Amino acid sequence: MRLPIEATSRPVTGVDHVPVISSRFSRKHRFLAVAAALVATFLLSAPVGAWSQLRNDWPDPDNCGDPGYPCIRWPKTASNLSVHVDVYPDDNLDIITEVDMRSILTNSRQQWNGAPARNPFLDVAPNNIAGIKVDLAHITLPFTGLTNDYADSNTNKIYRADVFLNVDILWNTTYTFGCDSVCHADARKVMTHELGHAEALGHTSFTAVMKQGATTYWKPRTNDIDGLQAIYGAYP
Amino acid sequence: MRTLSKSILGTLLIAVVATAVIAVALVQRTATSPLGNDQARPPAALAAGAAGPSLRPDATPEPTEDTTSENPEAANPGDVTSSRFDRCTMVVQSYDMVDDSIEFAMQWADAVVVGTVEAIGEGRFNTPGDALAASDPVTPLDVYRPTNIRIDTVLRGDIEPSGLAVRLPGGHVGCDEYAPDSSEGVVGGARYLFFLSKFTDAKGNTVDELTVTASWSLTDDGRVSTPYDGKVSIDELTELANNLDPIEARPVQR
C-alpha cells in the first residue's frame, strides 16, 4: 500500500539545522549510492538470454558449445577484422515484381554491415565465389523463407549459407503479414531476418528482427546487435 | 559540525566504492569481448546487382587462421568419404512463418497433439528405401528420424489417442547432420505439444506418417512452453483449437 506523502516526510523542527542539512546530504548520497549500485549491477549482470545463436537449445544461448548444442558461426580473420562474406543475388529475384528484391537485399546488407559488431561484412560477388546465395524457391506455405547454414562438423564454422524466399508469397513493404487467399509478408523484414540467420543468429521471442512473423520494423534492433556482439565481438 | 564531517566522509566513501565497482564492471565487460583491438571497419559494401553464372559450385570463403575446433565431441567426426559434401557438414536450417501466433500454427497444422516421445530412431534419408536423395538446394540433406510418440491429448486432427509413428526431421547420416530448428532439442521420454503435417518424401511420394513441424515442450506443471506467448495450459489450447476453422484439405507439399 502506498503511504500518504505526509507520512513519509521528515518533520522539520527548525531547532537544530545541522542534523537537517546532514540528513539531506545523506539522503541525497544514499540515493546516489543506490543508483551507482544499480548501474553496477546492470553492468555486472550476464546478458539476458534474449538473442540466440544457431544452433543451440533456443531460447537459451548459454547452451552454446555444450555437447549436443554446437553453436555455429562464420570464422574470424587473423587480424580480428570482420570476415568478408560475398552475397550473390540470384537472377530469380527479378521474378518478383511487386517489390524490388535487389534493392531490398542491398538495404538489408547495409543494415547488418552498419551494426557495431565484428559480424561478417556482406559484399556482393558473382555466384562462383559468393559464400551466401539469395534466391527464390517454392516453399511450403505458410513459410515465408528459410536459410540453410552449412557448417564444418569439425570446427562448427559456417562455410556457406543459402537464403530462400518463398516465391508463393505476395510480398510488400507495408508490414502486411497474414494469409487469406494468398499469404502476405513484408519483404524487407523477411530479407533482413534471413540474412540474420546467414550471420548465425537464431530466433528470439524478444523485440528483434530475428523474431518470427509480423513486426512493424525491419531493421536490426538492440537485441539483434547484442547477439552479434556476443558472437563476433563489439565494434569498435 | 562533527555530524557534517561524518556525512561528508561517508559520502566520499560511498563515491569511492561506487566508482571502484563501476570500474571493475567496465573492465569485465571489455574483457569478455573476444576481440580486443580497434581495427578499422571494412569499407562500405559494393553496389548490389552483380550477376554470375547460373550454376554455383560449393563456395568457400577465404581460409583464415581461426580453425580451432570448438566442439571436442566433433573432433573425430568420422570418415569424410561418408559425406555428401566436400567435408563433414552440419546443415542448420531455419524456417520462418508468416505469423508466429499459436492460432496460426494450429490453423496450418494437419494435427496438433500432446504426447510423450517413446523412441527416436537413427537418421535416414527421406526417400523410399533410405536411398541417397538427389541434391536439392532447399533441403540439401533431407534426413529424418522415425519416432514413436504416445499421444495423451488430441487438440486437432483425426488422430487416435494412442501410439503414433511420425517423422522427426533432422539427424545424422554418415558424418553429416541435418539440424532443422523445428525439431531442436526433442529428446526421448519428454512430453511435447506436437504440430504435425503431411509431407511428401524427397522424391515427391506421399508418405503415410505425419511429419513433426514444431514441438513445444511441457513444463512440470503440465503447461506448454510456447515460443512467443509464454506458458499456456492445455485447456486453454484445447479451447483455442475448438474455436478454429475446420482443417482444410490441402495438397500434400514437399
Side-chain angles (χ1 to χ4, degrees):
Chain A
M1 178 184 289
R2 195 179 181 88
L3 292 173
I5 293 173
E6 295 77 20
T8 59
S9 301
R10 184 184 179 87
V12 179
T13 62
V15 176
D16 183 357
H17 291 280
V18 175
V20 174
I21 295 170
S22 169
S23 170
R24 282 179 183 166
F25 261 92
S26 99
R27 269 189 293 172
K28 178 181 177 184
H29 290 89
R30 271 203 300 268
F31 169 76
L32 286 174
V34 168
L38 286 173
V39 170
T41 304
F42 168 74
L43 291 169
L44 281 169
S45 61
V48 176
W51 59 277
S52 75
Q53 182 177 352
L54 294 171
R55 133 199 176 187
N56 65 1
D57 189 14
W58 182 83
D60 181 7
D62 291 340
N63 282 335
C64 276
D66 288 354
Y69 302 108
C71 287
I72 62 170
R73 62 173 174 80
W74 290 89
K76 292 182 288 190
T77 61
S79 56
N80 279 346
L81 287 169
S82 300
V83 66
H84 273 244
V85 179
D86 293 318
V87 178
Y88 170 66
D90 195 279
D91 291 345
N92 284 336
L93 293 179
D94 298 329
I95 293 173
I96 302 295
T97 55
E98 59 268 24
V99 297
D100 182 354
M101 279 292 186
R102 286 183 182 275
S103 63
I104 285 171
L105 173 58
T106 301
N107 291 337
S108 295
R109 281 194 302 104
Q110 288 172 346
Q111 288 299 316
W112 290 115
N113 288 345
R118 297 180 196 276
N119 53 304
F121 191 85
L122 305 176
D123 278 336
V124 168
N127 192 16
N128 58 341
I129 63 167
I132 299 175
K133 181 180 179 181
V134 180
D135 200 352
L136 301 177
H138 290 283
I139 306 171
T140 307
L141 288 171
F143 293 102
T144 53
L146 69 85
T147 299
N148 292 323
D149 288 80
Y150 295 69
D152 187 308
S153 300
N154 200 28
T155 63
N156 299 332
K157 300 297 187 299
I158 302 171
Y159 66 88
R160 169 185 166 181
D162 288 344
V163 170
F164 293 100
L165 301 183
N166 196 344
V167 70
D168 298 321
I169 293 283
L170 189 57
W171 296 100
N172 62 75
T173 55
T174 56
Y175 301 117
T176 304
F177 293 87
C179 294
D180 36 51
S181 57
V182 292
C183 290
H184 307 262
D186 188 298
R188 301 165 300 175
K189 192 270 180 176
V190 176
M191 182 73 83
T192 310
H193 179 99
E194 298 303 329
L195 284 185
H197 286 316
E199 294 237 343
L201 288 172
H203 288 136
T204 177
S205 60
F206 286 74
T207 301
V209 79
M210 295 315 296
K211 181 181 185 293
Q212 282 199 81
T215 58
T216 54
Y217 52 85
W218 64 271
K219 297 178 181 177
R221 307 294 287 254
T222 303
N223 183 273
D224 303 299
I225 305 303
D226 287 348
L228 289 180
Q229 291 181 340
I231 299 170
Y232 297 104
Y235 174 83
Chain B
M1 196 63 186
R2 185 180 292 172
T3 311
L4 182 60
S5 300
K6 278 184 180 174
S7 171
I8 293 172
L9 280 173
T11 301
L12 284 172
L13 187 62
I14 290 169
V16 168
V17 170
T19 307
V21 168
I22 290 173
V24 168
L26 288 172
V27 167
Q28 286 194 354
R29 276 177 77 87
T30 307
T32 54
S33 171
L35 307 170
N37 65 358
D38 193 8
Q39 299 282 350
R41 182 78 172 163
L46 302 173
S54 57
L55 294 175
R56 172 177 176 265
D58 284 359
T60 306
E62 290 295 315
T64 71
E65 293 183 1
D66 184 18
T67 55
T68 308
S69 171
E70 291 185 348
N71 182 5
E73 289 208 338
N76 184 18
D79 184 3
V80 72
T81 58
S82 67
S83 174
R84 72 172 306 162
F85 307 99
D86 64 352
R87 70 191 85 180
C88 295
T89 294
M90 175 167 50
V91 179
V92 179
Q93 190 171 60
S94 307
Y95 275 100
D96 295 294
M97 291 180 74
V98 168
D99 192 342
D100 56 12
S101 68
I102 300 172
E103 297 96 319
F104 193 83
M106 282 188 170
Q107 187 71 57
W108 280 86
D110 291 316
V112 182
V113 301
V114 176
T116 304
V117 177
E118 291 186 318
I120 302 177
E122 296 292 317
R124 59 178 64 179
F125 286 115
N126 188 16
T127 55
D130 189 23
L132 179 65
S135 182
D136 171 10
V138 176
T139 309
L141 196 67
D142 196 346
V143 172
Y144 76 96
R145 290 158 290 171
T147 298
N148 293 331
I149 55 177
R150 187 180 64 250
I151 297 175
D152 305 328
T153 311
V154 178
L155 279 72
R156 189 166 166 80
D158 188 16
I159 302 277
E160 290 296 319
S162 59
L164 183 69
V166 298
R167 295 188 171 199
L168 184 64
H172 290 82
V173 169
C175 70
D176 295 325
E177 181 186 3
Y178 171 45
D181 58 0
S182 59
S183 46
E184 219 172 40
V186 175
V187 294
R191 290 179 78 206
Y192 299 90
L193 176 72
F194 288 105
F195 294 84
L196 305 167
S197 287
K198 293 172 188 165
F199 284 101
T200 65
D201 64 16
K203 296 199 170 182
N205 304 306
T206 303
V207 295
D208 294 334
E209 300 97 340
L210 292 165
T211 298
V212 176
T213 55
S215 43
W216 299 347
S217 60
L218 266 70
T219 55
D220 291 339
D221 59 2
R223 292 194 294 169
V224 177
S225 191
T226 67
Y228 304 108
D229 298 286
K231 294 178 183 176
V232 181
S233 72
I234 293 174
D235 287 343
E236 289 172 302
L237 291 171
T238 303
E239 186 179 344
L240 203 60
N242 290 339
N243 291 330
L244 291 175
D245 296 334
I247 296 173
E248 296 174 13
R250 286 186 287 263
V252 179
Q253 301 192 67
R254 168 84 176 86

